[in-house]
Amino acid sequence: MTSYEPPGAAGPDAAVYDAVVLAGGAARRLGGADKPGLWVGGRALLDRVLGACAEARTTVVVADPRPTARPVLWAREEPPGAGPVAALDAGLRRTTAEVVVVLSADLPFLEADTVRRLSTALRASADADGVLLTDADGRDQPLVAAYRAPALRRGLAALSHAASTSGSAADGGLTGLPLRRLTAGLRLMRVPDPVASFDCDTWDDIATARTRIREHGHVLDEWISAVKDELGIDLDVDTKALLDLARDAAHGVARPAAPLTTFLVGYAAAQAQGGPQAVAEATRKAAALALRWADESGGAESAGPGDAEPDVAPDATPDKRPDAG
């Protein structure tokens, strides 16, 4: 991958889907590290993926239970560590939607728009059983895909039946099978996306992802998402309006007024028990106050010789780079 630009909007919201996230692998190339719990951009990889599929009606994570940023259902393949096909089967048993989005837990750049795109493309197709992403080398990524659940169930049943007729079905016949054995029997559409399909299999991949998060032009969005996860809130606000308010407070009052004012705006919105509209209204009021304050303190004609000078230089401006410290 060479750069990160989140995909554009996918049009109207996709219809209902369930999600199955496979998070129980052994992570051998990471020395057995807890891969879903590794941080990229201040958030666990698993939480990043759960954020991307937050619109799912039901989300099933196939792994041992752990704290997550949002509630999920838990499932486990039998025996544990039986591989991706067995894990998918275990997760699929807890879903009911006709469309199931299947994801691995190590996709640092997956976005909600991409998940919607996959689901929407599948529903728009008359005969496809699934829509999956391909990576930078053109390889299929079956764990970044949307599938028709009945087609998956038929494929899993066929694999299990084949194992039973060959006498190897003591564990359901799915243990150790690669996903290509399942997807080979499906009619698939492919969508190239080298960024969203980027997964973290090695420590080099983790290092690359951590670097890209801080380099791309959307680091501020990444930071806001991480803060919301950490604080347990889900609130979409007008970031530009808040940044403009912070600038006006810093210019018209003093630099420390910027963070304090935005904090008070959030507190006021919370007291009003409101969502984005309450934040917008509090922001509007505070911005108007900051401009009135600046008008009063900036009037050279009306200021007397003993009046205090503003405690911020006239040309001082907060660093508006999204990655500024």
Side-chain angles (χ1 to χ4, degrees):
M1 57 183 296
T2 57
S3 64
Y4 172 65
E5 287 293 335
D13 287 344
V16 171
Y17 68 87
D18 289 341
V20 174
V21 181
L22 306 191
R28 292 183 180 87
R29 284 191 278 174
L30 287 168
D34 175 24
K35 181 162 65 169
L38 293 178
W39 290 357
V40 172
R43 289 191 289 164
L45 280 171
L46 175 57
D47 283 335
R48 298 183 70 87
V49 173
L50 292 179
C53 63
E55 295 173 359
R57 183 177 63 185
T58 298
T59 299
V60 183
V61 179
V62 186
D64 293 329
R66 66 169 69 218
T68 53
R70 69 180 183 86
V72 299
L73 297 179
W74 297 94
R76 201 65 167 113
E77 72 276 19
E78 288 293 341
V85 175
L88 176 55
D89 180 60
L92 193 62
R93 292 176 185 273
R94 305 206 64 181
T95 66
T96 57
E98 288 294 304
V99 170
V100 177
V101 171
V102 178
L103 305 168
S104 61
D106 60 352
L107 302 164
F109 301 113
L110 185 66
E111 298 280 350
D113 281 347
T114 304
V115 175
R116 288 190 210 106
R117 244 191 330 149
L118 291 169
S119 175
T120 301
L122 179 59
R123 293 181 184 280
S125 171
D127 54 6
D129 295 322
V131 179
L132 53 75
L133 296 189
T134 57
D135 65 15
D137 297 320
R139 293 172 299 196
D140 287 355
Q141 297 298 312
L143 294 183
V144 201
Y147 299 98
R148 298 192 194 277
L152 284 182
R153 292 190 173 97
R154 287 194 300 269
L156 290 166
L159 290 176
S160 184
H161 177 72
S164 67
T165 57
S166 66
S168 60
D171 55 8
L174 302 180
T175 295
L177 292 183
L179 272 173
R180 64 176 177 273
R181 288 282 298 277
L182 175 62
T183 58
L186 302 178
R187 297 167 297 180
L188 299 174
M189 293 173 55
R190 292 164 174 83
V191 178
D193 195 328
V195 175
S197 63
F198 180 85
D199 56 2
C200 293
D201 290 327
T202 67
W203 287 113
D204 283 345
D205 294 337
I206 294 290
T208 296
R210 287 171 172 169
T211 299
R212 295 296 183 190
I213 286 293
R214 287 160 175 77
E215 285 181 352
H216 67 67
H218 300 273
V219 67
L220 184 59
D221 292 334
E222 289 286 350
W223 169 247
I224 295 300
S225 296
V227 172
K228 290 195 293 185
D229 271 4
E230 190 71 16
L231 300 181
I233 59 177
D234 183 15
L235 179 67
D236 291 327
V237 297
D238 187 342
T239 303
K240 181 180 182 301
L242 287 174
L243 290 175
D244 288 344
L245 168 61
R247 179 203 62 209
D248 292 342
H251 274 222
V253 184
R255 277 190 182 275
L260 293 172
T261 304
T262 52
F263 164 78
L264 292 173
V265 163
Y267 189 82
Q271 278 198 319
Q273 297 183 336
Q277 290 182 343
V279 176
E281 177 62 14
T283 301
R284 183 191 64 77
K285 290 180 177 179
L289 174 61
L291 292 176
R292 293 199 304 272
W293 186 288
D295 286 343
E296 291 180 16
S297 63
E301 297 80 7
S302 60
D307 290 340
E309 292 291 327
D311 61 356
V312 60
D315 61 344
T317 178
D319 194 338
K320 292 184 65 179
R321 291 174 300 156
D323 58 346

